[in-house]
Amino acid sequence: MAIIEVNDLYKIFGPNPKRAIPLTKQGMTKAEILKRTGCTVAINDATFSIEKQETFVVMGLSGSGKSTFIRCLNRLIPPTQGDILVDGENVATMDAERLRELRRYKMSMVFQHFGLLPHRNVLGNVEFGLEISGMEKSQRREKAQRAIELVGLDGYEESRTSELSGGMQQRVGLARALANDPEILLMDEAFSALDPLIRTQLQDELLELQAKMHKTVVFITHDLDEALKLGDRIAILGPDGRVRQIGTPEEILSRPADEYVKAFVQNVDRTKVITAGSAGGHVPSIIYPRDGVEAAIRVMERNNYSTVFVTDASRVLKGLITIDDAVSLRKAERQGAGKENIATILHDNVYTTLATTSISDLLTAAIKTNYPIAIVDEEGVFHGAVSRAAIIAEVSKSSDNSAVPVQLREINGSDHSREDE
Amino acid sequence: MNFREIVNIGGAFESVIDWLVDNMSWFFKGISTAISALLDGTTAALNFPPWFVMAIALTALAWWVAGRGVAIFTALGFFIIWYMGLWTLTMSTLGLVIASVIIALLIGIPVGIWASKKNVVWNVVRPVLDFMQTLPAFVYLIPAVLFFRLGPVPGVVATLIFSLPPAVRLTNLGIRQVPKEIKEAARSFGSTSRQILFKAELPVALATIMAGVNQTIMLALSMVVIAGMIGAGGLGNEVLRGITQLRIDLGFEGGIAIVILAIFLDRVTQALGNIAQKKR
Ligand SMILES: Nc1ncnc2c1ncn2[C@@H]1O[C@H](COP(=O)(O)OP(=O)(O)OP(=O)(O)O)[C@@H](O)[C@H]1O
Ligand SMILES: [Mg+2]
């Protein structure tokens, strides 16, 4: 269900901004409009909805209107035109009192440069929102303390924020935003000011928190890797302030909507984004002990596989059988060695992975093993497999063609054209 | 008839002042009464305890906010003042300074806040402040005397006007310098304008505002001495007597007492500013 709906949103800075709207509809560029009217188009006709509990990433280059957009959601910047419905209520037109309530109880924001109060310690900063909403002291202490623990800042309650590292300061910012337990978190380039290492760490922590708390997160970034890592869905803003594409990370990578998005995603390491689940898929398996060697051979022959996975009755993976072993077992059986159990030819040295693991993390396993890699969930239940060929195909798709190794004879020989794939 | 007689700037000013004195005397009387009351209060409070109790209290204050060095200076300095027989005059000068500064801050800080919020206000206030600061200090004595005659009250008025600009300027500057993200953060959690001002802007701007308070106090002290010319009393009178009667000893002793008071006030208010700064 959509928690935030944005309809035909425009934000134009400058004198008499409404008059620039028809010009954008005529297809004039941002620069032309600026020259003609002195107005800067920051958001140009944005329409989309954000689902409850999803992490919605808005990404674009500097100046594409990201900060403006997220500030329209809580009306730190009033939109020029259009509706922003939060749980059906229009933020663009609500009165000051209602708007304050929205900001106090429903939506909190985390800032790029933290926006902490230098005259207050960590606890005082985390308490800030609760204090503003008039919560009584003992109660807000308790809530702030809980938020501090949530972000792993316990023990730092009395520290001055200026004594903390950037990563710690942003934890304070996050705790402050979480303290009143809002439904929606707005994060404007929250991790952009941090060192790469700390940044990765905070991204991981956000994912962990999100797995527990299921907030609706609107996350702004200019870093595509960050967008792909955090986003359930991503909206890409063009330099003209227009939304170019909205989709899951995989949709954006595999089906870029236009040349702009394509250029944008070109340099991404696909192997970090394409998951085992999407590169692989469902494969037939047999159930032990119900199915015997005959069933195993039949499945392999019908699908033209050289292996088949074996599960128990509740589909927990037991291992894998190869066609060669199965055929020799059947031969032994026919020669009168008695009914053989397929457990004797079951290989348990197969690699398993979660569906969400990225291809790049599977590469080592794919090189070591001769079998497909099984996709299982946390309980060990079998969901499918990803073949070595599929993994290698994904890796080679994302490699840069000019750097592909060439055979010696092609360089020396008369034939200068490269062998294509 | 020459041009100067048709457009007579000085004459026009005089008639405005005349009109004000004739028609607004109730207004100036009211102000005068209020200032007198405040002044009597501060001077009485300063002169109420015996000199050594007061000196110890001021030394303790210096120690508490500015540390040992300033405390030793304070003890020594106030002892010298007493020894020179200038204790009562020094306390009445301090009383004049405190009364003027209280009024200057009561006007200056709110105006500074207002100016920081509205560019229109700042655009009006700024040239007025520039004008006030370029005028020689003596000029303030004239309207003060015209409206309030002679004595300590016009002294306070001239002093507060002269010392007002830094309070306005640095309050305005301090609030404008509060990082945009801090203001946005305060607003994003649902603060009212009041809450933003008192819980975010003023505390963050405090160190800058304190620098303004320090400058206001120092300007007030310098003006209070000049105001001795219109009978404000205190050390200014003593220095003036030294000048007019060519009594070098009187003038020198009065000057020393003023310097001691100035250093004491400067160090203590600066230290207060540093405390505000350190808290960041
Ligand atoms: N207050 C303002 N007045 C005028 N123009 C503005 C204002 N704020 C932003 N803009 C303009 O609107 C456009 C979008 O700005 P915005 O800050 O939203 O971009 P951004 O995507 O957040 O960029 P960055 O990555 O640099 O933070 C820019 O062209 C900017 O110059
Ligand atoms: Mg931005």
Side-chain angles (χ1 to χ4, degrees):
Chain A
M1 206 189 83
I3 183 164
I4 302 176
E5 276 180 67
V6 176
N7 294 322
D8 309 318
L9 183 73
Y10 286 88
K11 177 64 202 186
I12 291 156
F13 291 105
N16 196 358
K18 284 220 160 159
R19 108 199 112 120
I21 291 176
L23 301 180
T24 66
K25 291 199 170 128
Q26 289 165 25
M28 279 175 77
T29 66
K30 197 170 161 172
E32 283 166 353
I33 293 174
L34 180 63
K35 203 165 154 199
R36 189 131 143 218
T37 63
C39 293
T40 306
V41 181
I43 300 173
N44 189 347
D45 196 15
T47 298
F48 51 84
S49 54
I50 297 174
E51 302 298 316
K52 248 197 181 100
Q53 309 198 332
E54 78 171 330
T55 302
F56 187 85
V57 175
V58 178
M59 90 147 281
L61 298 177
S62 187
S64 56
K66 307 180 296 290
S67 296
T68 308
F69 163 72
I70 202 166
R71 280 164 177 72
C72 283
L73 296 183
N74 62 358
R75 222 170 91 190
L76 284 180
I77 295 179
T80 306
Q81 188 171 300
D83 300 330
I84 296 162
L85 305 179
V86 174
D87 276 336
E89 243 188 308
N90 195 346
V91 178
T93 56
M94 63 176 51
D95 64 29
E97 182 59 37
R98 200 69 198 96
L99 182 63
R100 273 200 296 277
E101 274 171 27
L102 178 91
R103 290 171 177 170
R104 285 176 182 180
Y105 306 114
K106 200 161 218 165
M107 266 186 180
S108 295
M109 191 157 173
V110 181
F111 293 84
Q112 180 171 5
H113 303 289
F114 324 134
L116 301 177
L117 294 167
H119 59 286
R120 292 179 172 219
N121 61 17
V122 169
L123 187 63
N125 267 285
V126 175
E127 271 183 340
F128 183 77
L130 306 170
E131 184 182 326
I132 289 299
S133 62
M135 187 182 288
E136 165 222 341
K137 190 156 188 159
S138 63
Q139 200 184 351
R140 70 179 192 238
R141 273 283 136 91
E142 195 188 307
K143 285 205 165 197
Q145 192 61 43
R146 220 173 309 147
I148 285 173
E149 279 158 25
L150 210 54
V151 300
L153 273 177
D154 8 356
Y156 290 92
E157 290 85 352
E158 303 298 326
S159 305
R160 302 234 145 255
T161 55
S162 56
E163 291 161 4
L164 301 179
S165 67
M168 298 289 258
Q169 290 194 32
Q170 195 55 300
R171 285 200 177 89
V172 179
L174 193 58
R176 178 174 66 176
L178 291 173
N180 62 350
D181 198 22
E183 256 187 288
I184 303 168
L185 266 186
L186 307 177
M187 306 180 77
D188 184 12
E189 305 221 21
F191 303 149
S192 297
L194 306 175
D195 296 338
L197 224 68
I198 307 288
R199 193 167 169 178
T200 313
Q201 199 181 337
L202 273 149
Q203 289 166 352
D204 293 340
E205 281 174 31
L206 180 65
L207 286 172
E208 265 169 49
L209 280 175
Q210 196 41 3
K212 269 188 277 179
M213 301 187 309
H214 307 292
K215 304 274 178 209
T216 305
V217 179
V218 183
F219 193 100
I220 304 287
T221 181
H222 61 247
D223 176 359
L224 187 57
D225 287 328
E226 188 168 67
L228 296 168
K229 178 171 176 182
L230 297 178
D232 292 320
R233 287 190 306 145
I234 300 172
I236 299 210
L237 285 182
D240 51 0
R242 236 176 234 285
V243 179
R244 293 304 186 93
Q245 184 171 7
I246 299 176
T248 63
E250 295 193 31
E251 280 166 6
I252 295 217
L253 287 181
S254 40
R255 293 188 295 281
D258 60 17
E259 287 305 310
Y260 181 78
V261 179
K262 201 180 218 164
F264 221 107
V265 301
Q266 214 162 36
N267 293 325
V268 174
D269 188 355
R270 285 169 55 86
T271 60
K272 289 225 166 72
V273 180
I274 305 288
T275 58
S278 67
H282 175 75
V283 292
S285 56
I286 60 167
I287 295 173
Y288 173 84
R290 191 196 70 189
D291 300 326
V293 68
E294 289 298 340
I297 292 171
R298 199 168 56 246
V299 168
M300 285 186 269
E301 278 173 354
R302 176 146 14 100
N303 295 290
N304 206 10
Y305 287 157
S306 56
T307 56
V308 66
F309 286 96
V310 181
T311 69
D312 68 11
S314 48
R315 295 202 52 77
V316 172
L317 185 67
K318 308 288 298 177
L320 161 147
I321 294 175
T322 67
I323 186 90
D324 296 344
D325 289 349
V327 169
S328 42
L329 185 68
R330 181 169 64 180
K331 201 185 278 171
E333 221 178 273
R334 290 202 178 141
Q335 281 164 2
K339 188 102 178 134
E340 280 290 347
N341 192 329
I342 58 170
T344 56
I345 55 168
L346 197 63
H347 294 268
D348 61 356
N349 59 343
V350 287
Y351 284 90
T352 62
T353 177
L354 295 175
T356 52
T357 307
S358 67
I359 291 296
S360 67
D361 293 336
L362 294 179
L363 197 55
T364 330
I367 290 166
K368 280 194 203 150
T369 182
N370 291 319
Y371 309 131
I373 296 174
I375 299 171
V376 296
D377 62 19
E378 274 94 351
E379 277 78 49
V381 173
F382 180 73
H383 287 281
V386 51
S387 70
R388 297 171 66 224
I391 292 171
I392 290 162
E394 287 298 344
V395 172
S396 62
K397 252 194 246 172
S398 61
S399 66
D400 185 350
N401 280 336
S402 62
V404 165
V406 176
Q407 282 187 351
L408 186 60
R409 69 180 161 96
E410 287 175 36
I411 300 171
N412 295 337
S414 56
D415 182 9
H416 286 283
S417 71
R418 280 181 200 165
E419 191 179 26
D420 250 335
E421 238 77 30
Chain B
M1 212 193 279
N2 72 19
F3 193 69
R4 256 184 65 91
E5 282 170 50
I6 304 168
V7 184
N8 185 338
I9 293 174
F13 181 70
E14 191 182 344
S15 46
V16 170
I17 297 288
D18 281 348
W19 185 88
L20 285 175
V21 171
D22 290 345
N23 296 286
M24 303 286 284
S25 62
W26 56 271
F27 175 71
F28 296 115
K29 274 239 178 63
I31 290 183
S32 179
T33 314
I35 291 177
S36 286
L38 179 63
L39 196 54
D40 289 347
T42 51
T43 317
L46 289 170
N47 277 319
F48 173 71
W51 78 270
F52 58 90
V53 174
M54 197 65 204
I56 289 170
L58 293 174
T59 304
L61 173 72
W63 192 313
W64 183 48
V65 298
R68 207 174 58 168
V70 180
I72 291 171
F73 170 85
T74 306
L76 217 61
F78 281 105
F79 174 76
I80 293 171
I81 289 175
W82 170 78
Y83 183 78
M84 293 188 300
L86 293 176
W87 183 262
T88 318
L89 290 180
T90 304
M91 284 305 112
S92 69
T93 292
L94 189 56
L96 279 167
V97 169
I98 291 174
S100 312
V101 167
I102 286 175
I103 303 173
L105 297 182
L106 281 179
I107 299 171
I109 291 177
V111 171
I113 292 171
W114 195 27
S116 74
K117 298 281 168 194
K118 298 246 188 295
N119 283 330
V120 185
V121 175
W122 180 231
N123 288 338
V124 172
V125 166
R126 193 163 61 160
V128 175
L129 294 182
D130 290 341
F131 181 72
M132 284 167 75
Q133 287 190 308
T134 45
L135 280 185
F138 292 100
V139 176
Y140 290 102
L141 298 177
I142 301 167
V145 168
L146 290 176
F147 295 130
F148 300 100
R149 321 205 171 258
L150 296 178
V153 171
V156 168
V157 171
T159 303
L160 84 88
I161 294 173
F162 182 72
S163 62
L164 188 67
V168 179
R169 265 184 211 285
L170 285 151
T171 302
N172 169 65
L173 180 73
I175 292 183
R176 282 179 188 259
Q177 274 178 346
V178 174
K180 186 165 164 262
E181 268 198 354
I182 290 184
K183 299 185 194 190
E184 274 187 331
R187 213 143 66 88
S188 77
F189 284 96
S191 305
T192 60
S193 316
R194 266 184 93 83
Q195 286 173 321
I196 295 176
L197 182 66
F198 286 105
K199 291 188 189 285
E201 289 174 329
L202 285 180
V204 176
L206 189 63
T208 310
I209 296 175
M210 281 308 295
V213 171
N214 172 273
Q215 283 186 29
T216 291
I217 291 176
M218 300 319 286
L219 283 183
L221 184 60
S222 70
M223 189 63 195
V224 154
V225 175
I226 293 169
M229 289 172 68
I230 53 171
L235 293 169
N237 266 14
E238 196 67 2
V239 176
L240 197 68
R241 214 143 59 91
I243 296 170
T244 49
Q245 301 175 5
L246 287 179
R247 290 275 308 270
I248 296 175
D249 54 338
L250 279 187
F252 186 74
E253 284 184 357
I256 293 269
I258 289 166
V259 170
I260 290 170
L261 194 55
I263 293 177
F264 166 76
L265 287 174
D266 182 54
R267 292 303 129 85
V268 169
T269 51
Q270 244 179 41
L272 281 174
N274 287 342
I275 291 173
Q277 180 82 44
K278 247 193 238 118
K279 278 179 100 179
R280 337 194 72 210

